[in-house]
Amino acid sequence: AHGELDRTLFTANANFYFSADALKDFQSTLAPLGTVQSVTRTRTAQRGGMLFGLYRVTFSGGTTLTLDTYTLPNGRIEQLLVLGKN
């Protein structure tokens, strides 16, 4: 929501995706939703050597979004997608 990213948590591929323009887009979309109130993992699975995680993220404005991630065995996030409202 602040347009910032801890790049040490992400792979080179993910860092390439999260360009300055992409971060601005995420900021303009997420900031109006308020602060994150809760993050709940709803599912995990192994896929292609990565850990898939599905999360429900609830914001102070009442909106709930679905987020999915793919994390490598070294703990770095390869993919992070915001899927939309629940």
Side-chain angles (χ1 to χ4, degrees), residues 11 13 44-53 69-80:
T11 65
N13 288 336
T44 61
Q46 291 289 322
R47 181 171 180 192
M50 294 183 279
L51 178 65
F52 167 76
T69 61
Y70 283 93
T71 305
L72 295 177
N74 67 7
R76 294 204 178 199
I77 299 168
E78 172 70 7
Q79 179 177 299
L80 183 146

Side-chain angles (χ1 to χ4, degrees), residues 17-83:
Y17 171 78
F18 286 110
S19 65
D21 287 339
L23 289 177
K24 286 178 191 175
D25 185 44
F26 274 92
Q27 182 181 22
S28 69
T29 302
L30 297 176
L33 303 179
T35 58
V36 173
Q37 298 298 296
S38 67
V39 178
T40 306
R41 185 171 52 197
T42 60
R43 188 172 149 219
T44 61
Q46 291 289 322
R47 181 171 180 192
M50 294 183 279
L51 178 65
F52 167 76
L54 188 65
Y55 301 87
R56 184 174 52 250
V57 182
T58 303
F59 293 84
S60 59
T63 298
T64 300
L65 299 178
T66 300
L67 176 86
D68 79 26
T69 61
Y70 283 93
T71 305
L72 295 177
N74 67 7
R76 294 204 178 199
I77 299 168
E78 172 70 7
Q79 179 177 299
L80 183 146
L81 298 173
V82 178
L83 301 173

